[in-house]
Amino acid sequence: MDPTSPSKRPRVEEDGGGFPSFGSILHGDYAATHLEDIFSFLTGSEAIEGRKVSTFWRSVATSAPVWKTKCFQLWADKVYVPKKFTEESMPWLDAYWESLKDSKRICLTTEELCSFEWSSRMKGCAGPSWQASDPWWKGQKASVRKYSPDGTTHQADRGPGAWRFIRQTIGHDGPVGSLVRHSRAGHDFPTHFASRWSKNWGWILQNCWGFSASFPLPVKGLEPDLEDDGEVCQRVTVNTCQEEAMLFNMGVILPEQVEPNFGHVGRAIMGDFDDVSIASSADPEDDHSVFGGSVGQDEDEDDHTGFSEGSVGQADEDDHTGFSEG
């Protein structure tokens, strides 16, 4: 008799509804597709644990259909998953776990930075005048900043600027792509820090005064996590950038700033601010808008040097002809 005939096949137990019983699936007496269906309801970690049950389960628990499904489930609500994971260039099992690992990466590549339209807004600690001129604070869509591989930036409401990766700044260092320095008219702004939003794997760039995302920012009031008091914004505050903010408002060259007139890296001597070496090549008479933070306001309302003792000061509300947030 033909060994493939029904009488020679393993007997499959069925439940009352005509479906294979769990015992049949457990022992591999039924098509693997049924076990694959079960695995689709498990988390990635639970699916991996299934390898320990039996040889049959191990083959199913590591199969391409199971992990292709799990990848699509994982990525369904994510705004950014690198193409190397989605283009089937690696096993689906590896793509799942490697993409999870990548979602915690905070080092942007130039290609990534320049591929997004960055949704950008000012933070409240920049001062009320900057809030008043920012679309996001008016309940509108955030403005868009674009980066180019040649090191330039463009933002419709701010104009052209420049960008570059740096490795180290005051009190902070990191691998290439984790710290971004913006500049306009030859003057650097306090360093932007790269991070990720775990909810959608999108990129975040922010300093003490500005906040940008690689995805459209929800309008004000819709996503508390991305608001000034939210967990994401609170990763970088005025305290994080305080020394750079003070130097900027004083007109002092920031560490790693390329000096406009000479094209070399300028250095400011840090320590007691009474002994700060002002290495800036900018003319002291140049128009220079002043930013501030939540640490405090200028004691002298007529003095816009940038800070009073123990404070960073708020933005100069009378002057928008100088710099906008980088």
Side-chain angles (χ1 to χ4, degrees), residues 119-131:
S119 188
S120 303
R121 69 172 181 86
M122 302 299 292
K123 291 183 176 180
C125 58
S129 65
W130 292 105
Q131 289 175 264

Side-chain angles (χ1 to χ4, degrees), residues 2-141:
D2 185 353
T4 63
S5 66
S7 62
K8 293 296 183 180
R9 294 175 187 164
R11 182 175 180 275
V12 176
E13 299 176 2
E14 295 184 347
D15 61 17
F19 296 100
S21 69
F22 182 74
S24 297
I25 294 175
L26 177 65
H27 297 294
D29 294 335
Y30 212 79
T33 53
H34 291 87
L35 186 55
E36 289 167 0
D37 290 342
I38 293 175
F39 272 75
S40 69
F41 294 97
L42 304 180
T43 66
S45 297
E46 290 169 342
I48 284 294
E49 285 296 304
R51 297 178 302 173
K52 301 176 182 179
V53 175
S54 67
T55 301
F56 172 63
W57 273 52
R58 181 180 181 85
S59 67
V60 175
T62 57
S63 68
V66 165
W67 289 98
K68 182 175 182 179
T69 298
K70 302 210 77 58
C71 282
F72 289 162
Q73 291 171 339
L74 176 65
W75 301 337
D77 58 351
K78 305 303 187 292
V79 297
Y80 179 64
V81 182
K83 289 182 179 179
K84 65 180 179 179
F85 303 124
T86 63
E87 293 183 340
E88 303 186 36
S89 58
M90 65 173 65
W92 289 107
L93 174 61
D94 294 341
Y96 181 94
W97 293 106
E98 289 299 314
S99 68
L100 268 177
K101 180 180 177 181
D102 185 81
S103 71
K104 297 175 175 60
R105 173 172 57 91
I106 59 169
C107 304
L108 281 157
T109 66
T110 298
E111 180 181 8
E112 287 173 326
L113 181 69
C114 298
S115 67
F116 302 118
E117 290 190 344
W118 292 81
S119 188
S120 303
R121 69 172 181 86
M122 302 299 292
K123 291 183 176 180
C125 58
S129 65
W130 292 105
Q131 289 175 264
S133 64
D134 189 287
W136 185 85
W137 285 95
K138 301 174 183 178
Q140 302 169 10
K141 291 182 179 179

